[in-house]
Amino acid sequence: MPSWTDSIRFAFQPVVNLTTGGVAALEILARPETGDVLAQARRDPELDGGLAALAVGAAARKETLLPLHVNVFAATLADLGGLTALRQAVRQAGRLPWEVTVDVGPPYTHVPHRALLDAVGALRGEGFRICADGVGDGDAPLRLLADMAPDLMKLDASLLTRPAAVRAMRTLCEQLGALLSVEGVETETQCAAVRAAGAQLAQGDLFAPPSRRPAVDVYVPVTVPSVPATPRTGPSVRQFLRPAALLPATASAGQVRALLTGSPEVSGVLLVDRAGVPVRSVHRSRFLLPMSGRYGHALYADRPAAKLGDPPRTVGIGATAWEVLDVVADGERDRTSDDVAAVDRQGRCVGVVRLADLVRALAESRVEEAAGLNPLTRLPGSDAITGEVDRRIADGRVFALSWLDVDHFKQVNDGAGFAAGDELIRAVGRALQGAASGSTRVGHIGGDDFLVLADPERLDPLAASVLDAPWSAGGRTVTLSLATVLCAPGSVTDHRQAAACLAPLKQAAKALSGASWVLGRAGLPGHEIRRGSLPAPAPAGVPGGR
């Protein structure tokens, strides 16, 4: 007798890592050939749970080593709790729970939140990863998303037309320690917007459409995004995660050999304990070398693979690329090509990082950074500062944006010569750099104009360090003007609006005598004169201003 399962086929769509350009996971999508099984599954938790189990089985038949994403409705998870059928399917497929991400999708209306959160906690306790799916195109309450604390949040591509909402979701992900993904990406313009939003992952027809067999190749636009990082922190290791090839710690050398010879793209295997914690690392070439000898297979095949492995190199999922490089540098020289395992708070492996990916991305970021430096002061230009302004706005942080320049700089150049003028600019740049500390950023945007982005509490010492210093060029005394706008959360929407608030404050500072400093607040009228004084009225026919 025909079963409803006979009309179900499954398609595979890759989840792409936008930094490495590789496939990070496969989402398994149910494709009924007749009827509307998905609509029934929305109302029938048992049916929906069965579909999730069948999806895992379909992936097992394709012999893929990639992590899997399976979909369930929120109501199914709340009703079935541990999803027994799914858990059994994972075991039967020889998969480990932490290789499977459960994509929890809307609707959430009428779903008992306490039961849903308990079920999420139970699955996570076994090692399954949790994704909040369909955010922006469903009815997921923000409070519930925060309480779920998903490992991954998937935004619908339609949300890209509302950048403020995407920035808010990115900030929420950062606070929760979650990755951000965008699904439904169909154009290169959308891909660029996804990258600008700071998402680490994406999927959609642009990269590869759903297909009956897992895609061998994916298309990723070649434009490489600049890495939003500072020298002190560096890009997050999350940007460089690749799927890990995992086997139980009890695996034999023969099992590892079979995995490596059948998967040439795998550079190494991690042996993990029952909790998913890496215990040994097996490097491809160092392992296969003794195995490929004349008696290698006979000698080693039945031995525990752990005997031929090394202690794993691990970093926390919150680490930076520079911290990964430190781990590599501190280890043995013959292991510099080993993958580094990224682990979560419980020590479970969530992926691996390859040294080549890190070196390539950090080199590109350094090249981009160097290209943006002002040749006179070697300070970054306006793009670096305005990009950081936008990040602080997205993070909801209070910040102070300042514009500093030299008074009557044209007269300095005309009277003392351009060489003296250049030396003055370099000296001001060095003074600003020396006064910068913590999260303060200094940029040289051309001529005698500098931008300074700082926390409000850093303003007074920074202003004093440059305004109170005696400045001169070619024997001529010189003064500086400083204008600052304080931006509270919600007072400006982006760096353009912050710059517009700063412009009239600069004019007010230039209208004062001596070293001057004017401070205003975004969205509020008026300003405060911190330094300088109003000049005496100029005699008739004599122009004023600085």
Side-chain angles (χ1 to χ4, degrees), residues 342-534:
V343 297
D344 60 16
R345 293 186 184 92
Q346 288 74 40
R348 299 178 300 211
C349 180
V350 297
V352 295
V353 181
R354 292 183 181 175
L355 180 62
D357 291 335
L358 295 184
V359 173
R360 185 183 307 112
L362 292 175
E364 287 165 348
S365 70
R366 284 292 177 260
V367 169
E368 291 182 2
E369 180 184 328
L373 295 180
N374 187 286
L376 185 61
T377 59
R378 309 304 295 167
L379 288 171
S382 60
D383 286 350
I385 303 300
T386 56
E388 180 63 21
V389 167
D390 285 339
R391 282 189 286 276
R392 297 194 188 191
I393 292 171
D395 293 343
R397 295 172 58 183
V398 179
F399 64 89
L401 182 63
S402 300
W403 189 325
L404 180 137
D405 71 353
V406 178
D407 297 329
H408 307 296
F409 184 65
K410 185 178 185 304
Q411 296 178 23
V412 172
N413 267 347
D414 291 345
F418 71 87
D422 285 352
E423 182 52 41
L424 174 63
I425 294 302
R426 281 192 286 264
V428 172
R430 287 194 296 269
L432 286 171
Q433 280 186 296
S437 63
S439 60
T440 301
R441 302 287 177 264
V442 178
H444 183 189
I445 62 176
D448 63 324
D449 292 318
F450 294 86
L451 279 180
V452 182
L453 178 61
D455 295 328
E457 60 269 18
R458 289 296 309 157
L459 285 175
D460 285 323
L462 189 145
S465 68
V466 291
L467 297 182
D468 292 346
W471 297 103
S472 64
R476 301 165 60 98
T477 299
V478 175
T479 58
L480 307 180
S481 293
L482 180 66
T484 300
V485 59
L486 283 177
C487 299
S491 61
V492 291
T493 57
D494 58 20
H495 70 270
R496 297 176 184 83
Q497 192 173 358
C501 295
L502 189 57
L505 298 175
K506 179 189 177 185
Q507 297 304 315
K510 301 296 286 183
L512 300 176
S513 296
S516 62
W517 180 19
V518 165
L519 184 144
R521 289 169 172 78
L524 298 177
H527 59 266
E528 174 187 349
I529 298 176
R530 292 279 185 99
R531 300 284 181 92
S533 59
L534 292 172

Side-chain angles (χ1 to χ4, degrees), residues 41-216:
R42 182 176 298 183
R43 301 185 298 269
D44 185 344
E46 292 288 348
L47 176 58
D48 192 32
L51 281 174
L54 287 174
V56 173
R61 289 192 293 275
K62 301 301 181 183
E63 298 180 352
T64 174
L65 290 171
L66 288 167
L68 306 177
H69 284 243
V70 295
N71 296 278
V72 298
F73 292 110
T76 298
L77 190 52
D79 188 82
L80 296 183
L83 290 174
T84 302
L86 173 63
R87 291 155 61 203
Q88 290 175 345
V90 170
R91 285 196 298 270
Q92 291 171 0
R95 285 303 194 108
L96 302 169
W98 37 92
E99 296 179 282
V100 179
T101 297
V102 179
D103 288 11
V104 185
Y108 289 87
T109 304
H110 307 308
V111 173
H113 290 181
R114 185 68 264 163
L116 176 61
L117 293 175
D118 288 345
V120 165
L123 284 179
R124 182 175 279 130
E126 293 187 32
F128 288 92
R129 308 203 182 280
I130 304 297
C131 166
D133 199 0
V135 176
D137 193 37
D139 59 345
L142 283 177
R143 179 176 176 179
L144 179 61
L145 289 177
D147 290 342
M148 284 175 64
D151 303 284
L152 172 66
M153 196 177 297
K154 286 186 180 180
L155 306 187
D156 187 84
S158 63
L159 210 60
L160 294 173
T161 59
R162 298 165 176 81
V166 177
R167 288 197 298 269
M169 289 297 103
R170 186 189 67 186
T171 300
L172 178 59
C173 284
E174 290 173 353
Q175 295 295 321
L176 296 175
L179 294 176
L180 180 64
S181 180
V182 178
E183 54 187 349
V185 178
E186 298 180 349
T187 67
E188 294 198 14
T189 300
Q190 286 181 320
C191 184
V194 171
R195 283 172 158 157
Q200 297 94 349
L201 305 171
Q203 59 188 115
D205 288 356
L206 174 68
F207 310 106
S211 60
R212 291 291 177 85
R213 296 189 63 82
V216 176

